[in-house]
Amino acid sequence: MNYFERMKEKYEQLKKKENIIILSVESSCDETSVAVVKNGREVLSNIVASQIEIHRRFGGVVPEVASRNHILAISSVFEEAIKVAKISKKDIDAVAVTYGAGLIGALLVGVNFAKSLAYSLDVPLIAVSHVHGHIAANYISHQELKPPFICLMVSGGHCAILKVEDYNKFQLLGSTVDDAVGECFDKVARVLDLSYPGGPEIDKLAKSGEKAYTFVHSSSLKNSLNFSFSGMKTAVVNFVHNKMQKNEEINKADIARSFQEEVTDELVEKTLKASKEQNIDKIVVAGGVGANSMLRDKFEKACKDQKFYSPVLKYCTDNAAMIACAGYYMLKDGLGLADLSLTARATIQL
Ligand code: KG4
Ligand code: ZN
C-alpha cells in the first residue's frame, strides 16, 4: 500500500481516537510558526518566529526575503515546538499545514516541510486554508464556542462576512469589492510615515487623536454586506499629499483616528446587519485586523442582543495553533486529507 492509501485508513481510525495530537505549520506570510495542539483546543506549544524586523526596513513584506527566512527558521521553530509541548515526535497523530492563501514561495516552505514530516512519521497530512485557521483561532480562546455564528474575517489579505454554519461549512455573505481592510491600514500608515505593519501603529496613534475629518465612502454598497475601502484609502492618501504639497502641517493622530473610526463603524454596522438578517446572535471576529482595539470596543458596545467573541491577541495574527485547530475539525469530518502532491496556492476558496 502506498503512503496515501495507508493514510486513508489511518485517517478513519484517528477520528475515533480519544486524544489527538496535531502538529501544525504556518508560513503563509512573514511568520514562521509551528504548534502542537491536543484535541483541537488545547495548545501545548505555539512557536512564532516573526520576520517583522527584517521587512520593516523595506516598508512591507518582500516575498523572496520571506521565503528565504522561512527556510532558515523552520527547523529550529519545529524543534522548539516539540520541546515546549514536552512530546516526542512519535506522539504526533497528524500534521496540518497552511497550503493557501498567501505568498507562494513562503507557503511552499511550510508545505514541503510538513509533507516531509508527515511522510517520515507515517502520519496523515491535513491541508488547511489560512482563512479557516483564522476563524478556528476563536475556538482556542473560547472553549465553549460552537457554530453557528457570524464571522467578520479581517486581515491583510481578506475582508469578508461569513456565516459559519458548522465547523467546516461556510457561507459567504459579503466581502470587499476591492482592497482588504488590513491592506488599507498598512497603506494609510505608510503615507503617515509610520512603521510596518501599519495596523497596530494606526491603532496606537488613533488613541491620541480626534475624529476631525470625514473621508469619502462608497454609497452604492450601503445596503449590501459588501465593502469597499479603496476610495477611503485614496481619500486619505490624497488628503495627506495635498497638505504636504502646500507645506501645511498635518495632525497624524487625527487622521489615524478619523480613518479608523470610519472603517470600524462600517465593519461593525455590516456585521450586525448580517447577524440580524440571519437571525444568529453569536458574532465572531477573526484575522489580524481583529486585534484592533477600537473595533473590539465597538463590537462589545454594539452587541446588546448578541454575544461577541474575539481571539486573544496572539491568536488574532498569524500563528500555527489556529491551523491545528482547524485541521482537527477537518479530521473529525474526514476532510482535508492530502497526498504528497499537495502544493501551495496563492488563492483558494474557503
Ligand atoms: O492575519 P494577519 O496577521 O495576516 C494575514 O493573514 O494577512 O493580518 C495582518 C494584518 C496587517 O495588515 C496588519 O496591519 C493588521 O493585520 N493588523 C491590525 C492590527 N494588528 C494587525 N490592523 C489594525 N489594528 C491592529 N491592532
Ligand atoms: Zn493571516
Side-chain angles (χ1 to χ4, degrees):
M1 233 193 291
N2 69 20
Y3 167 77
F4 193 54
E5 291 303 319
R6 267 198 321 281
M7 289 312 115
K8 277 190 198 160
E9 281 182 12
K10 269 204 180 175
Y11 216 47
E12 272 307 306
Q13 289 157 10
L14 262 185
K15 273 194 212 170
K16 293 169 231 142
K17 191 168 181 273
E18 198 188 4
N19 286 316
I20 300 174
I21 303 252
I22 296 184
L23 180 134
S24 53
V25 182
E26 155 65 42
S27 68
S28 65
C29 192
D30 58 348
E31 258 99 31
T32 319
S33 182
V34 178
V36 178
V37 179
K38 186 175 164 187
N39 296 333
R41 300 198 187 211
E42 191 185 332
V43 180
L44 304 183
S45 66
N46 180 45
I47 310 299
V48 182
S50 175
Q51 300 177 16
I52 284 179
E53 289 308 323
I54 297 168
H55 296 282
R56 190 163 272 155
R57 68 192 130 120
F58 304 111
V61 179
V62 182
E64 179 61 19
V65 174
S67 314
R68 286 172 189 274
N69 281 284
H70 283 307
I71 293 171
L72 294 177
I74 195 139
S75 297
S76 52
V77 171
F78 164 71
E79 293 298 343
E80 182 75 5
I82 296 280
K83 195 170 130 203
V84 173
K86 296 192 177 68
I87 60 157
S88 87
K89 288 172 196 155
K90 67 174 181 4
D91 297 324
I92 299 168
D93 292 306
V95 176
V97 63
T98 308
Y99 75 107
L103 302 169
I104 277 288
L107 285 163
L108 274 172
V109 178
V111 167
N112 285 313
F113 187 88
K115 282 203 287 194
S116 321
L117 184 68
Y119 185 66
S120 66
L121 297 175
D122 207 39
V123 298
L125 175 69
I126 313 168
V128 179
S129 142
H130 184 72
V131 169
H132 190 172
H134 272 303
I135 298 167
N138 279 282
Y139 302 133
I140 297 172
S141 293
H142 306 283
Q143 298 286 319
E144 76 290 0
L145 178 66
K146 289 190 181 87
F149 52 80
I150 297 295
C151 178
L152 174 70
M153 168 66 215
V154 274
S155 71
H158 295 89
C159 181
I161 300 178
L162 300 152
K163 179 178 174 182
V164 179
E165 294 175 18
D166 206 341
Y167 286 104
N168 295 300
K169 199 163 173 223
F170 310 94
Q171 190 189 336
L172 184 67
L173 302 176
S175 64
T176 178
V177 295
D178 40 54
D179 296 347
V181 64
E183 205 179 323
C184 291
F185 268 94
D186 294 341
K187 289 261 166 62
V188 167
R190 207 165 167 164
V191 78
L192 294 178
D193 214 16
L194 306 175
S195 74
Y196 171 83
E201 296 296 316
I202 299 256
D203 194 350
K204 246 184 276 163
L205 191 59
K207 289 192 199 318
S208 58
E210 297 291 331
K211 187 172 178 342
Y213 312 107
T214 303
F215 299 112
V216 283
H217 237 118
S218 158
S219 57
S220 64
L221 300 172
K222 214 170 174 36
N223 295 318
S224 86
L225 294 177
N226 290 327
F227 302 97
S228 167
F229 294 112
S230 80
M232 204 189 304
K233 178 192 73 186
T234 310
V236 179
V237 171
N238 289 346
F239 177 84
V240 173
H241 284 164
N242 211 294
K243 291 275 184 195
M244 277 158 63
Q245 273 162 8
K246 291 182 190 156
N247 257 334
E248 288 177 18
E249 287 254 323
I250 55 163
N251 183 325
K252 291 186 185 181
D254 284 356
I255 296 173
R257 175 69 184 260
S258 307
F259 164 76
Q260 190 176 267
E261 287 275 8
E262 283 191 45
V263 171
T264 51
D265 273 349
E266 175 138 0
L267 293 172
V268 172
E269 190 186 307
K270 294 205 169 179
T271 311
L272 260 83
K273 180 174 156 68
S275 149
K276 284 177 193 143
E277 280 176 10
Q278 297 291 326
N279 203 15
I280 293 179
D281 62 3
K282 278 185 268 179
I283 290 182
V284 166
V285 75
V289 182
N292 186 267
S293 60
M294 187 183 280
L295 181 67
R296 292 163 88 106
D297 285 352
K298 282 187 182 174
F299 266 123
E300 292 287 358
K301 289 200 185 95
C303 286
K304 295 201 174 67
D305 303 323
Q306 298 90 348
K307 189 152 171 41
F308 173 62
Y309 299 85
S310 56
V312 295
L313 291 183
K314 67 178 173 184
Y315 297 128
C316 251
T317 46
D318 291 349
N319 67 88
M322 66 185 195
I323 302 302
C325 180
Y328 173 83
Y329 288 104
M330 291 174 78
L331 182 155
K332 284 282 172 185
D333 282 348
L335 300 169
L337 178 66
D339 66 20
L340 297 174
S341 67
L342 179 71
T343 191
R345 305 256 192 90
T347 54
I348 48 169
Q349 291 272 314
L350 189 62

